[in-house]
Amino acid sequence: MSIEIRSVNKRFADFHALRDITLTVPSGELVALLGPSGSGKTTLLRIIAGLDSPDEGSLHFNGEEATKRHVSERGVGFVFQHYALFRHMTVFDNVAFGLTVRPRKSRPTKADIKEKVHGLLKLVQLENLAGRYPAQLSGGQRQRVALARALAVEPQVLLLDEPFGALDARVRVELRRWLRRLHDEIHVTSVFVTHDQDEALEVADRVVVMNEGRIEQVGKPEEVYDRPANPFVYNFLGNVNLFHGRVDKGKARIGEIAIDLPEYGEADPGPAVAYVRPHDIEINRLRNSAEEIEAEIRFIQGAGAVARLELERLDTRETIDAEITRERYRELDLREGEKVFLRPRNMRVFVGDYTI
Amino acid sequence: MNTQNNNRGAQDHGKGLTEPVAIRWLLTGLALLFVGLFLLVPLDAVFSQALEKGLGTYITAIREPDALSAIRLTLLTAAISVPLNLVFGVAAAWAIAKFRFPGKSVLITLIDLPFSVSPVVSGLIYVLIFGLQGWLGPWLDAHDIRIIFAVPGIVLATVFVTFPFVARELIPLMQAQGNDEEEAALVLGASGLQTFFRVTFPNIKWGLLYGVILCNARAMGEFGAVSVVSGHIRGVTNTIPLHVEILYNEYNYAAAFAVASLLALLALVTLAAKSIVEWRMKVSS
């Protein structure tokens, strides 16, 4: 089922949670709503579910208006951030709940419910825990019960609020890959909320980046990562270094470095900010060209697949983060306190005086 | 090095949290002495005074028609006011814990009002409203409806005084549990009633029972407010506490203590039930 959100606004007292949101989720896609806390992503998810209603705007399922449809009639599955399992019911009864509350006419028989629940528990790999209570389960197990419970009613849309937020790092990575595979199997239109960019980029077909109640960018994971629409998206998706400079006559000047910006050829001179990812900072012991920045190594974290360096520019005393491969790190044989030359690659310049 | 230091620190910390043996015994002893002096001795006095003139006198005092009538009235009052406050308490706690609405803090303050007002004042309020010289008095008199110095007044006063017990017990419990499970039930297609009976109620049943037990104990034991509106008509508008007072004022100590011992027994049963429910609440959470 496709979801269409048209010009939705939502306010809580004097807090403007959603500002004129328009978004289409095509049928069968797995979409991530990504943003910092307070960006409105959970509110948007709750409006799709019917747990909150928009002040203005409308919501359409498969082209049909659903703004006023009651939450219990929307046919959505919702996985809550803290699972919201019924604590006094067993795993089996939790999963069966959506089926047992149906009116007698459309309620499956006991045997059918039993078969269905066991099928779902098998799908989430919890077959042998049907008789346990939520308090007796680990976080990851509770999460999967919540998912099975949501799937039991055969929802047209699956909505997940920070589905992995409360789990430890290892379980989190495992579960999100599992969710991706599950989605490839059952192809139900899914929307999940997260503040973790890795999670969004790894799991989703499309990422919706949100900030302060607005949508900043919508795109495939590579699109939003490689071609961020604005400084906020750039900054939110991964670490970033900022270089302040000026733009004039189609050229940006960032310290010693000049970058061609043909699209700003006509623009008035003004401030500009260049963004560079830490892994796009090349480190050399010797100066190769004039367009390099001299810096001192303050701190090295050499464990792991990449070496992370914290450097300080000698001219402005600003801090720069850099990541280099292990091989390069060994080859250069860097020590804290040494002076090196930095060459930023793939700089992305945004004209205007942005502050984040 | 670091870990060793931390370990030692943790041990010191643990030691610092327990008092020396002597102080522990002193504090426990003081508490027990207090409980003994102020609770056990009076309780013992009630029963020994009641049985002073033998079991026969005790039974006669309880089986006397006025006493039986007082017991019936007390049971009737509790049977009306406890269910009323049960329904009201659940509804109020539900509204306060699960919804945001204007006037919420006013409602919470109103629920607490009976706790902060002297019961005598509560009784007087009803006399002012329904009494012969009160606002509605002449109209009620003209229609031959008796509230003050009659059973309806006693029930009204009791309902008022026991108003906060159930709601006060449920509000923090329901607030702590939040809305998540109810929302989950709604999304899964449950109706409002199904959500209440299958999700909310099982989560609050022990807290609810606890509130009902306390409400019942107060409903049966209330003196001040009931005393003002009852008129002390023997065999008609006397509840157990009022009957005890009358007997005591008539220097009929054995009978007074015999009837009072019923209330003391009620207190003991309440205590036992309360402890069982408390234990169940701990187990179920």
Side-chain angles (χ1 to χ4, degrees):
Chain A
M1 189 164 78
S2 68
I3 308 166
E4 219 187 308
I5 296 145
R6 290 186 202 154
S7 326
V8 159
N9 273 286
K10 178 74 184 174
R11 289 176 196 84
F12 294 108
D14 47 1
F15 177 65
H16 206 156
L18 293 175
R19 295 164 198 261
D20 206 28
I21 297 282
T22 296
L23 176 71
T24 305
V25 180
S27 189
E29 258 197 15
L30 176 52
V31 171
L33 301 180
L34 173 67
S37 53
S39 61
K41 53 196 193 309
T42 296
T43 305
L44 183 57
L45 195 78
R46 289 173 60 87
I47 283 178
I48 299 174
L51 290 169
D52 274 325
S53 55
D55 296 336
E56 290 149 36
S58 61
L59 178 75
H60 305 259
F61 288 158
N62 270 345
E64 233 177 90
E65 165 111 39
T67 322
K68 300 260 180 278
R69 210 179 283 170
H70 189 255
V71 47
S72 58
E73 284 154 12
R74 290 201 183 190
V76 300
F78 201 103
V79 176
F80 290 82
Q81 187 175 3
H82 301 290
Y83 323 127
L85 296 178
F86 306 127
R87 68 194 91 181
H88 62 282
M89 291 185 205
T90 61
V91 168
F92 181 95
D93 289 337
N94 263 283
V95 178
F97 186 86
L99 300 171
T100 56
V101 293
R102 285 194 186 163
R104 197 151 298 173
K105 272 177 280 168
S106 55
R107 193 189 306 159
T109 63
K110 275 208 164 141
D112 286 346
I113 291 179
K114 197 169 172 190
E115 196 188 314
K116 172 117 202 197
V117 171
H118 280 292
L120 281 163
L121 289 178
K122 194 170 171 181
L123 182 73
V124 298
Q125 299 153 6
L126 290 172
E127 259 178 311
N128 47 353
L129 299 180
R132 296 262 187 100
Y133 284 90
Q136 299 168 305
L137 303 177
S138 73
Q141 288 168 335
R142 281 181 214 176
Q143 178 63 281
R144 282 181 283 155
V145 174
L147 200 57
R149 182 178 70 176
L151 290 173
V153 293
E154 290 177 14
Q156 300 287 300
V157 176
L158 185 60
L159 306 170
L160 306 103
D161 187 8
E162 297 268 1
F164 315 115
L167 302 170
D168 61 61
R170 205 190 184 91
V171 182
R172 206 175 169 130
V173 172
E174 261 170 42
L175 259 183
R176 71 190 191 209
R177 291 196 178 140
W178 178 84
L179 176 71
R180 180 69 243 184
R181 284 199 304 275
L182 182 81
H183 183 263
D184 292 343
E185 251 173 67
I186 58 177
H187 277 299
V188 55
T189 311
S190 308
V191 181
F192 76 100
V193 156
T194 181
H195 61 259
D196 180 334
Q197 18 112 6
D198 288 339
E199 207 165 283
L201 297 177
E202 185 179 323
V203 179
D205 293 320
R206 285 204 306 156
V207 178
V208 177
V209 186
M210 294 185 68
N211 180 38
E212 291 181 341
R214 288 192 193 84
I215 292 179
E216 300 279 357
Q217 190 174 7
V218 182
K220 292 200 167 73
E222 308 89 85
E223 270 171 33
V224 291
Y225 188 81
D226 293 335
R227 290 189 295 286
N230 56 45
F232 173 81
V233 179
Y234 209 115
N235 196 50
F236 194 68
L237 291 174
N239 294 329
V240 73
N241 292 299
L242 273 76
F243 296 93
H244 293 271
R246 291 190 68 77
V247 64
D248 192 10
K249 294 186 186 106
K251 263 191 192 303
R253 300 210 152 269
I254 313 288
E256 302 299 310
I257 307 160
I259 302 164
D260 281 327
L261 285 177
E263 65 267 38
Y264 290 106
E266 304 300 314
D268 291 332
V273 184
Y275 289 79
V276 188
R277 298 266 185 227
H279 57 77
D280 278 330
I281 297 216
E282 193 184 306
I283 298 182
N284 291 305
R285 281 195 166 277
L286 300 170
R287 186 184 278 276
N288 293 319
S289 73
E291 297 198 341
E292 285 184 350
I293 300 162
E294 202 176 356
E296 188 185 303
I297 303 176
R298 302 295 304 274
F299 178 74
I300 301 177
Q301 193 233 304
V306 292
R308 291 170 216 277
L309 283 76
E310 194 185 303
L311 305 116
E312 189 181 291
R313 277 175 77 164
L314 290 185
D315 48 357
T316 62
R317 293 283 156 199
E318 280 172 315
T319 302
I320 299 173
D321 291 318
E323 286 174 15
I324 55 174
T325 62
R326 231 180 145 71
E327 290 76 46
R328 182 73 182 148
Y329 171 56
R330 290 223 185 98
E331 190 186 311
L332 288 171
D333 190 27
L334 298 171
R335 297 268 185 279
E336 284 169 16
E338 286 182 322
K339 287 196 176 55
V340 288
F341 295 93
L342 310 179
R343 198 160 72 131
R345 292 174 301 224
N346 302 322
M347 275 187 136
R348 200 175 151 101
V349 181
F350 292 100
V351 175
D353 197 10
Y354 289 106
T355 45
I356 291 174
Chain B
M1 260 289 274
N2 249 331
T3 28
Q4 262 179 5
N5 276 340
N6 282 343
N7 279 341
R8 199 175 303 146
Q11 271 166 15
D12 284 350
H13 202 63
K15 222 177 252 171
L17 282 178
T18 32
E19 307 296 339
V21 181
I23 295 197
R24 264 187 281 164
W25 280 105
L26 182 71
L27 289 172
T28 317
L30 273 175
L32 283 175
L33 187 75
F34 190 83
V35 169
L37 268 178
F38 286 87
L39 289 176
L40 293 181
V41 171
L43 197 62
D44 176 64
V46 169
F47 283 101
S48 53
Q49 287 274 350
L51 293 165
E52 202 184 31
K53 293 191 179 153
L55 200 60
T57 324
Y58 180 84
I59 291 171
T60 320
I62 290 173
R63 291 186 58 183
E64 181 231 348
D66 286 351
L68 284 179
S69 147
I71 293 169
R72 264 199 303 275
L73 183 57
T74 295
L75 291 177
L76 175 74
T77 307
I80 298 172
S81 55
V82 173
L84 276 180
N85 277 328
L86 171 82
V87 172
F88 164 77
V90 171
W94 173 274
I96 286 167
K98 312 273 177 184
F99 299 98
R100 264 184 289 181
F101 55 91
K104 186 164 161 172
S105 53
V106 175
L107 182 59
I108 297 176
T109 313
L110 282 178
I111 289 172
D112 278 342
L113 189 68
F115 272 164
S116 48
V117 171
S118 159
V120 176
V121 176
S122 324
L124 278 173
I125 292 167
Y126 283 97
V127 173
L128 277 178
I129 298 174
F130 300 114
L132 262 183
Q133 271 73 45
W135 298 338
L136 299 175
W139 186 87
L140 289 169
D141 194 46
H143 290 79
D144 207 21
I145 303 170
R146 293 197 59 88
I147 290 181
I148 299 305
F149 305 148
V151 176
I154 294 172
V155 172
L156 276 176
T158 308
V159 169
F160 179 83
V161 171
T162 56
F163 204 53
F165 283 96
V166 175
R168 263 288 143 204
E169 188 56 42
L170 289 184
I171 290 168
L173 183 67
M174 286 170 99
Q175 273 173 340
Q177 287 174 348
N179 285 348
D180 279 12
E181 289 184 42
E182 280 81 8
E183 285 187 342
L186 288 176
V187 176
L188 287 166
S191 67
L193 277 181
Q194 282 174 321
T195 305
F196 178 76
F197 283 107
R198 299 194 46 181
V199 176
T200 308
F201 180 74
N203 281 337
I204 59 165
K205 61 182 175 196
W206 294 113
L208 186 61
L209 187 54
Y210 189 93
V212 165
I213 290 170
L214 291 183
C215 182
N216 181 60
R218 181 64 189 266
M220 291 190 172
E222 174 54 26
F223 179 83
V226 170
S227 170
V228 176
V229 296
S230 127
H232 304 266
I233 307 165
R234 271 196 155 182
V236 182
T237 62
N238 266 351
T239 59
I240 298 178
L242 300 183
H243 188 61
V244 171
E245 192 210 15
I246 289 182
L247 292 172
Y248 187 81
N249 286 346
E250 288 170 351
Y251 306 105
N252 194 349
Y253 292 135
F257 278 107
V259 179
S261 73
L262 292 180
L263 285 176
L265 270 177
L266 170 74
L268 290 177
V269 170
T270 303
L271 267 180
K274 188 172 145 294
S275 324
I276 293 169
V277 171
E278 266 172 357
W279 174 74
R280 285 293 322 199
M281 274 168 92
K282 222 181 266 168
V283 170
S284 69
S285 65

